[in-house]
Amino acid sequence: MTTYHVRAIHTAKITELTFGKKTFPSALLKQPIGREMFLSYTGLAEDEQTPEHHGGTEKALCLYPYDHYGFWDGWMEMQDGSALFGENITTVGLNERNTHIGDRFEFGGAVIEVTEPRQPCFKIAAKYNKPELIIRMRESGFTGFYFRVLQEGMVKPGDHLKLIRRDPAGVSVQEVNELLFSKSPTAAEYDRVLEAVALSKTLKPKLMEKRNQL
């Protein structure tokens, strides 16, 4: 069983944040937890998410690879001890290219399943005062991704992700990113991504609609 190291599990409550001239509600400033916590179908017990882009059963948990931290270091001011992009879990060895929609993992007493890439929003650009961050994230494909929770359970620092099932369609998170960010996607590219049965219930209808408009 392949196991991926989790460096930290992060949570935060929604607060009014001000970065430069922008003020908005967000739970972006997540900090590592120090004790066991319940992971429900809608996320970690002490975590909050603003509903317009995050949260719900299809985006219950957000992962960002620690492997990408070096890509951003030096380009922007990074903050030690916090989640770089407000992710819930920061992992080593797991990324958008070797992870597929529908891949399942044991995480402590829970079971989670990959649903879709994270799509970067203006809040992380505002946090680092880097308007071009969103474009840089899209071009690199270093977006991170979301999970749904198939089995609720307790998780704690020191728990890692154990791969228990590879999705048979084999549609990588990176393939979905390439489709989402393509200027002229083809019907074949839509059909390929839509082979992933586990694709989130929020993203799938949007892709099907765009496919039908071709």
Side-chain angles (χ1 to χ4, degrees):
M1 183 182 296
T2 305
T3 300
Y4 296 94
H5 177 66
V6 176
R7 295 188 81 249
I9 304 169
H10 302 93
T11 63
K13 298 293 186 182
I14 295 173
T15 57
E16 286 288 327
L17 302 179
T18 298
F19 298 113
K21 296 180 180 180
K22 293 184 180 293
T23 298
F24 47 80
S26 177
L28 186 61
L29 300 184
K30 298 190 189 299
Q31 294 294 322
I33 67 172
R35 59 180 180 79
E36 191 174 50
M37 189 174 295
F38 185 60
L39 176 59
S40 76
Y41 293 123
T42 54
L44 290 160
E46 295 183 9
D47 193 50
E48 293 182 344
Q49 301 153 325
T50 50
E52 70 271 20
H53 298 296
H54 313 288
T57 59
E58 301 302 280
K59 301 178 184 179
L61 205 62
C62 181
L63 177 151
Y64 198 80
Y66 183 72
D67 310 66
H68 300 337
Y69 274 43
F71 175 80
W72 302 102
D73 190 17
W75 183 78
M76 65 188 194
E77 184 177 348
M78 297 171 64
Q79 300 171 9
D80 292 337
S82 64
L84 186 63
F85 293 124
E87 70 269 16
N88 296 116
I89 48 178
T90 310
T91 58
V92 176
L94 197 60
N95 59 56
E96 298 83 359
R97 290 162 178 77
N98 66 14
T99 307
H100 311 92
I101 304 299
D103 284 358
R104 294 180 183 177
F105 300 83
E106 286 184 1
F107 183 32
V111 176
I112 60 178
E113 180 178 71
V114 180
T115 57
E116 66 169 274
R118 179 180 187 172
Q119 297 183 48
C121 68
F122 77 92
K123 293 181 181 181
I124 55 176
K127 175 183 178 181
Y128 293 104
N129 192 27
K130 288 284 189 178
E132 65 273 36
L133 187 149
I134 293 174
I135 294 174
R136 187 175 175 88
M137 187 173 278
R138 287 176 175 175
E139 290 179 345
S140 65
F142 296 167
T143 59
F145 44 92
Y146 288 107
F147 295 87
R148 65 170 60 92
V149 176
L150 299 180
Q151 176 183 304
E152 298 179 318
M154 302 299 294
V155 299
K156 64 183 184 302
D159 286 340
H160 302 304
L161 295 185
K162 298 178 181 179
L163 179 67
I164 57 174
R165 177 185 179 268
R166 283 285 189 200
D167 189 82
V171 176
S172 70
V173 174
Q174 178 61 18
E175 286 182 80
V176 184
N177 270 333
E178 290 172 359
L179 176 65
L180 292 173
F181 305 146
S182 173
K183 295 181 179 179
S184 54
T186 66
E189 289 171 326
Y190 277 109
D191 291 341
R192 166 60 181 154
V193 167
L194 288 168
E195 288 179 24
V197 176
L199 196 65
S200 77
K201 295 174 184 176
T202 50
L203 181 60
K204 184 182 292 186
K206 296 177 183 178
L207 296 183
M208 292 178 70
E209 181 179 358
K210 290 181 178 180
R211 165 67 175 86
N212 293 334
Q213 291 172 350
L214 293 177

